[in-house]
Amino acid sequence: MNIIKQNISETSAQSNARLSAVFALVHTLDKNKPMDSAWVADRHFYSMSPSDKAFTQLLVKTVLRHLGQIDAIIGKLLERPLPSKSARVTHILRIGIAQLIWLRTPQHAAVHSAVEITKQIRMEKFSGLVNAVLKRVIAEGEAIIKPQDAARLNTPKWLWEVWSNAYGEENTRKIAEMHMTEPPLDITVKSDSESWAKELGGTAMPTGSVRLNDARNITHLKGFTDGSWWVQDMAATIPALLLGDVKDKRVIDFCAAPGGKTAQLAAKGAIVTAIEVSKERINVLKSNLNRLKLQADCINIDAGKYSPEFTVDAILLDAPCSSTGTARRHPDVVWHKPPADTERLKEIQHKLLNHALDILKDGGILVYAVCSLQPEEGEQQISRILSEREDISIVPVEPAMVGGLKEFITGRGEIRTLPFYFAEIGGMDGFYAVVLSKKGKMNEKDKNSSINPSG
């Protein structure tokens, strides 16, 4: 069992952070919306202190990481299920159990606050039940969870089956176990990762990322204000690395926000056009580039409708996906992404991939990537496009392109990372990436300017 140490003050514990946590669980589990959008929708969240915000997010993420186990506890301790209209009471119980078992909140504080919240949301008729259930959790909770198969309980059945078919039962269990842990924070630096690792007390990773040992107050760390680095999971840096030497090349970054990959390309000297359909997200992208003092032409348009007026040397398509590879950081994705969502996303990805290949110059390079563990969105998507088009082929990834990490490379030369890689120091996101070359006749000028994918 993973016990999370709280660096949360008593002031935070006594605040309305738990009410916001209830709101976020309603938003995510009942309304089937992304967790991150709950913070935007909750006007009270932004009035909280930084420590209260951190406490709220910790509560929600802990519940979501252990949701199957928590609901099994509730099912064992309740004589009958709560009525559907009392969903918020269920969320209060979930938060209380998460605090008592995984966060080690003082027992009185966890129980008292749960009862008070029940009254605040005008569900006081359930306050006695909440009090009784949580007191039983104090007495019986550890004994209940001891025989639980945590990995299976905290993973939806359909995802367990898909991952088992793709990666095997043993690896699926490792994936699920990583999803129950709090991930470390990785940053991408413009240059000299070894020096920055020493400066910030972190670890230089083989692919060039720096993994921080203490991710609190990152905006106060050296290099943040002057734009020397940005937050980006190690796995998320790989697609841009696969484009090789992009200096002075015209590169399109499709679906670019929040801008980590755009920043990588710009920092390497590429002439980047960043495409993003969301007005809100493209504003975030521009803001991030301003802080980093990097240049890119940011265009607010649907990627599938964008046609450049210049010759495109390379394209990075980090396509919209189910995001199941990011469940360590976004534990909600496994609960509000139904199987049908993957089918819908597959078609969006296929259309974007075809469009991107159409506008890519002959002899150009395209990197297709998804932060998904679903083979339908990765390996199978590429098998489909290869069967439909004769003008493309896979450029096998060389180990040197990914820091010598041969285990990342599939038999076909693609990249597949899994969350339990580097498990001893916190794991990484699950990602799929492939380098595609567009065939065609090249004149001498194009031959001299084409990107070397292993450069």
Side-chain angles (χ1 to χ4, degrees):
M1 180 176 65
N2 297 299
I3 304 298
I4 301 175
K5 295 180 180 179
Q6 291 187 81
N7 294 310
I8 305 294
S9 68
E10 283 301 309
T11 300
S12 296
Q14 296 168 0
S15 72
N16 286 327
R18 292 177 178 86
L19 271 176
S20 278
V22 171
F23 175 89
L25 290 174
V26 169
H27 186 87
T28 299
L29 297 177
D30 300 338
K31 298 183 179 180
N32 204 34
K33 296 180 179 180
M35 176 182 64
D36 286 347
S37 66
W39 318 130
V40 178
D42 182 3
R43 60 187 177 86
H44 297 294
F45 182 79
Y46 278 98
S47 65
M48 291 182 185
S49 68
S51 59
D52 284 358
K53 289 179 181 178
F55 185 43
T56 301
Q57 293 172 328
L58 178 63
L59 287 173
V60 175
K61 289 182 178 181
T62 304
V63 168
L64 294 172
R65 288 186 179 120
H66 300 278
L67 186 61
Q69 287 178 279
I70 291 170
D71 284 356
I73 294 171
I74 293 174
K76 189 173 182 65
L77 297 181
L78 285 180
E79 293 183 3
R80 63 182 66 87
L82 289 169
S84 58
K85 292 183 179 180
S86 59
R88 288 177 296 169
V89 176
T90 300
H91 296 320
I92 292 170
L93 286 174
R94 286 166 169 163
I95 291 168
I97 293 169
Q99 290 179 93
L100 290 169
I101 294 182
W102 286 281
L103 298 180
R104 297 304 195 204
T105 301
Q107 294 174 354
H108 171 76
V111 176
H112 176 74
S113 62
V115 170
E116 288 303 305
I117 292 172
T118 306
K119 296 175 182 177
Q120 284 180 265
I121 64 171
R122 297 180 181 179
M123 302 291 281
E124 50 269 284
K125 67 179 180 179
F126 291 101
S127 59
L129 179 144
V130 167
N131 181 69
V133 169
L134 293 182
K135 285 187 174 178
R136 286 190 65 186
V137 171
I138 292 171
E140 306 171 37
E142 295 291 344
I144 294 174
I145 67 170
K146 189 174 182 180
Q148 287 180 335
D149 185 344
R152 288 297 296 264
L153 282 172
N154 296 324
T155 307
K157 183 180 178 181
W158 76 274
L159 278 176
W160 186 278
E161 292 173 351
V162 170
W163 295 343
S164 292
N165 288 334
Y167 311 114
E169 185 96 5
E170 182 180 351
N171 284 339
T172 297
R173 183 168 293 278
K174 291 179 182 178
I175 291 170
E177 288 171 350
M178 287 307 302
H179 287 171
M180 290 185 281
T181 64
E182 181 73 18
L185 188 76
D186 295 341
I187 63 171
T188 301
V189 298
K190 289 180 178 177
S191 62
D192 199 357
S193 60
E194 292 284 349
S195 294
W196 275 108
K198 291 178 182 178
E199 179 70 37
L200 299 176
T203 303
M205 306 300 284
T207 54
S209 297
V210 173
R211 179 154 292 182
L212 301 183
N213 300 323
D214 185 354
R216 293 173 296 176
N217 300 319
I218 62 169
T219 59
H220 296 113
L221 293 178
K222 183 176 180 179
F224 180 85
T225 301
D226 60 17
S228 296
W229 51 263
W230 57 95
V231 174
Q232 188 179 27
D233 188 82
M234 172 186 173
T237 67
I238 292 175
L241 296 178
L242 300 183
L243 285 175
D245 182 7
V246 293
K247 184 174 174 56
D248 297 326
K249 307 300 181 185
R250 299 298 302 255
V251 182
I252 297 176
D253 183 8
F254 276 137
C255 312
K261 299 173 185 65
T262 299
Q264 282 181 270
L265 297 169
K268 286 185 174 184
I271 304 167
V272 187
T273 300
I275 306 300
E276 175 57 49
V277 67
S278 166
K279 290 182 180 179
E280 292 78 10
R281 285 171 61 81
I282 203 165
N283 287 334
V284 172
L285 168 61
K286 291 177 179 178
S287 175
N288 288 336
L289 290 175
N290 286 337
R291 180 181 68 82
L292 298 171
K293 302 177 179 64
L294 294 171
Q295 298 294 321
D297 184 16
C298 301
I299 301 176
N300 182 204
I301 190 174
D302 182 342
K305 297 177 181 178
Y306 175 69
S307 295
E309 297 179 352
F310 54 87
T311 300
V312 183
D313 295 315
I315 294 175
L316 175 54
L317 172 57
D318 187 357
C321 70
S322 61
S323 304
T324 51
T326 69
R328 294 177 316 136
R329 291 180 291 110
H330 303 285
D332 56 308
V333 299
V334 301
W335 300 113
H336 74 74
K337 297 274 187 177
D341 205 44
T342 302
E343 293 301 312
R344 177 184 64 83
L345 288 164
K346 276 170 49 181
E347 296 311 309
I348 294 173
Q349 294 155 6
H350 190 64
K351 290 178 181 178
L352 285 175
L353 184 52
N354 264 312
H355 176 66
L357 288 167
D358 287 341
I359 65 174
L360 182 67
K361 78 174 185 180
D362 289 344
I365 295 293
L366 181 145
V367 169
Y368 170 82
V370 284
C371 56
S372 169
L373 293 171
Q374 312 312 107
E376 308 98 304
E377 300 180 84
E379 295 87 342
Q380 293 175 22
Q381 186 71 264
I382 296 307
S383 293
R384 176 183 175 185
I385 201 78
L386 288 171
S387 70
E388 295 173 348
R389 298 183 65 133
E390 297 181 353
D391 62 338
I392 59 170
S393 60
I394 291 177
V395 180
V397 173
E398 297 294 333
M401 300 166 69
V402 288
L405 298 169
K406 296 179 181 179
E407 61 268 35
F408 288 7
I409 304 173
T410 71
R412 199 163 59 170
E414 304 138 293
I415 290 292
R416 168 56 75 187
T417 66
L418 297 173
F420 59 82
Y421 292 166
F422 292 97
E424 67 280 1
I425 55 172
M428 63 190 302
D429 282 354
F431 243 88
Y432 171 83
V434 62
V435 184
L436 299 175
S437 175
K438 185 175 180 182
K439 304 172 186 176
K441 295 181 180 180
M442 292 187 292
N443 58 35
E444 288 302 315
K445 181 180 178 181
D446 283 342
K447 288 181 181 178
N448 292 333
S449 66
S450 63
I451 291 177
N452 174 9
S454 60

